[in-house]
């Protein structure tokens, strides 16, 4: 028996690629429902942007209450969420979609919320909640993409891994601030106070 050709013969692939040259990276072999993938990615994009805004707000507010190390963490997360937003937007354009950057409806499209928080501990808790929501919804997106769009799936898996790191960072911060349910340890339990 002759060796089974890998997926389809290379000539057919070349021919298809030429036929749909105007479709850029989307080839006839693309297995996913493109419109749905673009919609789902736009929701992830909105989630990232809301997270950038929330972390930035927390960064500026924490700077004001002299919690420099926590503020630095907020800023780092804000910058990483921005990188996620850029990667997702880039992928949407590869799929012939348009990244939805319209501020109107941003919060509705986003899976995570924008909560300002009253103090440092509150801010960290709200960020942790948002990260956990993102983790759950990105895991669903990864599952949905499956083998139909491995490029988008890989991207979302990488972003998911970073959200898990963010959640871990925040959890560590909460522990350090002694506000995770246990009584505060005197040495490290000093909470930044407002002046
Ligand atoms: Fe993110
Ligand atoms: Fe995150």
């Amino acid at each position: 028996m002759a060796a089974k050709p890998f997926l389809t013969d290379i000539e057919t692939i070349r021919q298809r690629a030429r036929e749909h040259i105007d479709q850029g990276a989307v080839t006839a072999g693309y297995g996913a429902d493109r419109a749905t993938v673009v919609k789902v990615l736009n929701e992830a994009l909105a989630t990232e942007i809301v997270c950038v805004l929330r972390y930035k707000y927390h960064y500026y507010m924490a700077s004001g209450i002299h919690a420099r190390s926590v503020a630095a963490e907020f800023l780092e997360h804000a910058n990483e969420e921005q990188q996620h937003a850029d990667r997702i937007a880039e992928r949407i354009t590869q799929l012939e979609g348009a990244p939805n950057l319209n501020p109107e409806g941003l919060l509705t499209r986003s899976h995570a919320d924008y909560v300002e928080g009253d103090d440092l501990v509150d801010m960290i808790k709200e960020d942790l909640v948002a990260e956990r929501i993102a983790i759950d919804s990105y895991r669903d997106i990864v599952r949905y993409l499956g083998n139909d769009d491995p490029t988008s799936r890989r991207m979302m898996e990488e972003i998911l891994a970073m959200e898990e790191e963010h959640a871990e960072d925040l959890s560590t911060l909460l522990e350090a601030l002694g506000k995770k349910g246990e009584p505060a340890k005197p040495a490290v339990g000093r909470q930044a106070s407002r002046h």
Side-chain angles (χ1 to χ4, degrees), residues 25-84:
V26 182
T27 61
Y30 182 76
D33 169 5
R34 203 170 47 84
T36 307
V37 173
V38 167
K39 183 176 170 284
V40 162
L41 290 183
N42 261 319
E43 288 177 7
L45 175 61
T47 303
E48 295 296 342
I49 293 168
V50 166
C51 288
V52 171
L53 294 172
R54 197 193 55 253
Y55 274 125
K56 280 275 175 139
Y57 176 81
H58 290 173
Y59 164 65
Y60 287 113
M61 294 306 280
S63 301
I65 50 180
H66 311 294
R68 283 178 176 271
S69 64
V70 180
E73 197 74 35
F74 289 154
L75 182 60
E76 194 185 305
H77 285 199
N79 291 336
E80 285 170 352
E81 309 300 15
Q82 182 62 61
Q83 289 166 17
H84 298 167

Side-chain angles (χ1 to χ4, degrees), residues 109-169:
R109 295 194 301 278
S110 168
H111 298 157
D113 284 331
Y114 180 92
V115 182
E116 292 183 343
D118 293 330
D119 56 27
L120 203 56
V121 169
D122 234 33
M123 289 177 193
I124 301 170
K125 280 183 178 168
E126 290 303 339
D127 290 330
L128 182 55
V129 168
E131 293 289 352
R132 290 172 65 91
I133 292 168
I135 288 167
D136 274 346
S137 79
Y138 290 179
R139 200 183 285 123
D140 284 346
I141 293 174
V142 166
R143 211 175 290 131
Y144 166 75
L145 292 169
N147 292 322
D148 294 336
D149 182 345
T151 308
S152 300
R153 190 198 64 217
R154 201 162 51 242
M155 174 188 76
M156 291 309 297
E157 280 172 344
E158 284 165 11
I159 295 175
L160 170 62
M162 287 194 71
E163 310 307 2
E164 286 174 345
E165 274 176 36
H166 288 171
E168 183 58 34
D169 291 345

